[in-house]
Amino acid sequence: MSDEKRAARLQHLRAEGLAKGDPLALPLTMASMFNLPGNPEPGVAGYGRMDNPVWDAVEEALALIEDAPVRVFPSGMAAISAALFAVLKAGDRILVPSDGYYTTRLLADRYLAKLGVEVVERPTVAFSEGGYDGFALVFLETPSNPGLDVIDLAGACAAIRAAGGVSVVDNTTMTPFGQRPLDLGADVVVASDTKAPGGHSDVLMGHVATRDAALLDEVTQWRKLSGAIPGPFEAWLLHRSLETLEVRFDRMCANAQVIAERLADHPAVGQVRFPGLAGDPPHAVAAKQMTRFGFLIGLTLKDEAAAEAFINGCAMLAPTTSFGGTHSTAERRARWGDDVAPGFVRLSVGIEPVDPLWQALDTALTAL
C-alpha cells in the first residue's frame, strides 16, 4: 500500500467499525477498572495496566501506518527500553551509535551494563566497520540525531540478521511517511511519537512496531509487568494528531528542502547537513531508502555565541529541545554534551509558510 493510500484510509479507519449512533471521534476512556464477572477472557478489558480502548485505537492507527503490529508507550525512551529489555539478557553484547540520541547510550551504559550486557559504540559513518558478529542486538538510528549521518538500512539489517542478531531501528526523525525500516529488513522499529506524530508539543508518547510475533509478545509482557503504560488522555491526543501527520509531515519536509538549500548559500553559515542536499555526503544512500528527506537541518555557525544569538534573535524560532512540532524550533546541541561543534544548531522546520519563515531566519543570520 502506498503512503498516499495509507494516509487516505487513516482518515476513515475508525468509521470502518462504527455502529449506528456511535461517535465519529474516538471517545476518551478514563478507567482503571472494567466490569469483569467470572474468569478473565482474551480480548476483554480487565485492568487499566493491561487494557484501554484508547490504546487499542491508537495502536490500530499506528499499525496501519507501519504495516505491522504496534504497542504504544508513555514516551520514546519507554519504547526503546521495552525493545531492549525484550531481547537482551546477561552476557549479551549490544551495538549502539556513538553519535545517536544520547539518552539511548546513557540507558545502555548506566543500566544494561550493570546487568551484564556489554555495550559497544560506533559512529554512524563507520557503523558497519567490524561487522555484526557476536551482537545479540544492534541499535540503528538513521539519520543520526543530531548529526544527520545516514547508514544503508537494507544492507545493515541483512548483515545483522545473517550474523544472528536483532536489528532495532529508531525511526523518530523520519516517521513511516519518510522512511520504512521494516520494509528494508529491520526486525523492530522504535519511535518517539512525542515528535512529528504528536506534532503539537503537548504529549509524550512512543511506540514499538514489529512483524515478529515472539518479539511483540515480549514487548507486550514488558509493558504489562513494568507498568510502562501511556495515559489514556495522552493516547487520545496522539490518535487525534495522527490523522494530520501525513499533511503536516509533507509541509515540514517541503519547507526543510527550501530552507536547507538557502542556508547552504548563506554567508553566515559554515556548514549545512541535510540529506536532501545533493552535496550532502550520504545523499545517495538517503535518496535510495527515504521517500522524503525529513524536516531536520543541522547548521554550524561561527561559535556558541553566534548560535545562541541566531536562535534567540529569530522571530520564528522557539528555543526548545525536542523537535517535530508545527512551529519551527532550534537548539544548540552541544549544551547537552553531543559531540558537535559549539556553534552547531539543530533546526526543526515547522509548517509555517516557507517565505515568511525564511525571511525571519535570514534576518537573524544577517544580524550576526
Side-chain angles (χ1 to χ4, degrees):
M1 184 185 298
S2 68
D3 284 349
E4 190 175 63
K5 289 182 178 179
R6 286 189 184 91
R9 187 174 174 220
L10 185 61
Q11 303 304 315
H12 302 277
L13 185 62
R14 173 167 163 76
E16 292 176 4
L18 294 183
K20 187 174 183 178
D22 286 344
L24 185 59
L26 176 67
L28 175 59
T29 302
M30 302 288 285
S32 61
M33 294 183 284
F34 299 87
N35 186 41
L36 193 66
N39 292 324
E41 298 177 25
V44 176
Y47 181 52
R49 181 164 48 81
M50 300 177 287
D51 305 292
N52 189 283
V54 186
W55 300 356
D56 296 341
V58 76
E59 287 176 351
E60 184 183 19
L62 284 165
L64 170 62
I65 302 172
E66 291 278 14
D67 192 22
V70 167
R71 293 295 177 264
V72 290
F73 289 86
S75 68
M77 281 308 302
I80 289 171
S81 298
L84 298 184
F85 280 94
V87 174
L88 295 168
K89 63 183 184 304
D92 282 344
R93 298 172 73 219
I94 178 177
L95 177 62
V96 298
S98 60
D99 55 338
Y101 183 47
Y102 74 99
T103 311
T104 305
R105 296 195 304 276
L106 290 178
L107 174 68
D109 290 338
R110 293 188 181 182
Y111 295 100
L112 292 179
K114 288 181 182 179
L115 299 176
V117 175
E118 181 184 351
V119 181
V120 180
E121 297 182 10
R122 294 177 190 165
T124 298
V125 293
F127 206 67
S128 62
E129 295 179 9
Y132 303 108
D133 289 341
F135 290 104
L137 187 149
V138 178
F139 192 92
L140 305 100
E141 185 178 283
T142 180
S144 61
N145 175 25
L148 302 181
D149 282 316
V150 173
I151 188 171
D152 175 4
L153 272 179
C157 291
I160 294 163
R161 179 170 289 126
V166 173
S167 56
V168 178
V169 179
D170 186 339
N171 201 38
T172 296
T173 61
M174 293 306 300
T175 86
F177 286 118
Q179 182 174 257
R180 306 190 61 78
L182 293 175
D183 291 349
L184 294 168
D187 294 307
V188 181
V189 160
V190 295
S192 171
D193 298 311
T194 306
K195 312 304 192 288
H200 295 80
S201 307
D202 57 7
V203 61
L204 286 167
M205 285 285 289
H207 76 266
V208 176
T210 180
R211 295 168 183 162
D212 185 311
L215 281 175
L216 182 70
D217 182 64
E218 286 297 314
V219 167
T220 305
Q221 293 302 314
W222 168 261
R223 182 175 70 179
K224 179 175 74 172
L225 297 175
S226 69
I229 60 171
F233 182 57
E234 287 76 12
W236 184 89
L237 286 172
L238 177 59
H239 185 273
R240 167 217 62 182
S241 297
L242 287 175
E243 293 182 346
T244 62
L245 171 59
E246 188 268 343
V247 69
R248 287 185 285 107
F249 186 73
D250 179 69
R251 177 70 168 260
M252 293 157 72
C253 292
N255 281 356
Q257 185 72 43
V258 173
I259 297 296
E261 291 172 358
R262 294 178 181 178
L263 286 171
D265 292 331
H266 202 286
V269 179
Q271 183 187 42
V272 175
R273 292 302 309 273
F274 180 68
L277 292 176
D280 198 59
H283 173 70
V285 175
K288 181 180 177 181
Q289 67 190 24
M290 298 179 189
T291 54
R292 303 300 296 271
F293 292 113
F295 53 84
L296 292 179
I297 301 172
L299 59 146
T300 302
L301 302 179
K302 181 180 178 182
D303 51 28
E304 175 182 340
E308 293 291 346
F310 165 63
I311 294 169
N312 296 317
C314 181
M316 288 197 180
L317 281 182
T320 69
T321 193
S322 197
F323 53 83
T326 57
H327 38 266
S328 294
T329 63
E331 71 169 332
R332 191 179 62 82
R333 286 301 300 177
R335 68 180 182 167
W336 297 107
D338 284 331
D339 187 17
V340 292
F344 177 88
V345 174
R346 184 182 66 191
L347 173 63
S348 175
V349 180
I351 66 169
E352 302 93 341
V354 69
D355 286 332
L357 175 58
W358 169 249
Q359 290 169 15
L361 295 170
D362 180 47
T363 298
L365 288 168
T366 303
L368 297 179

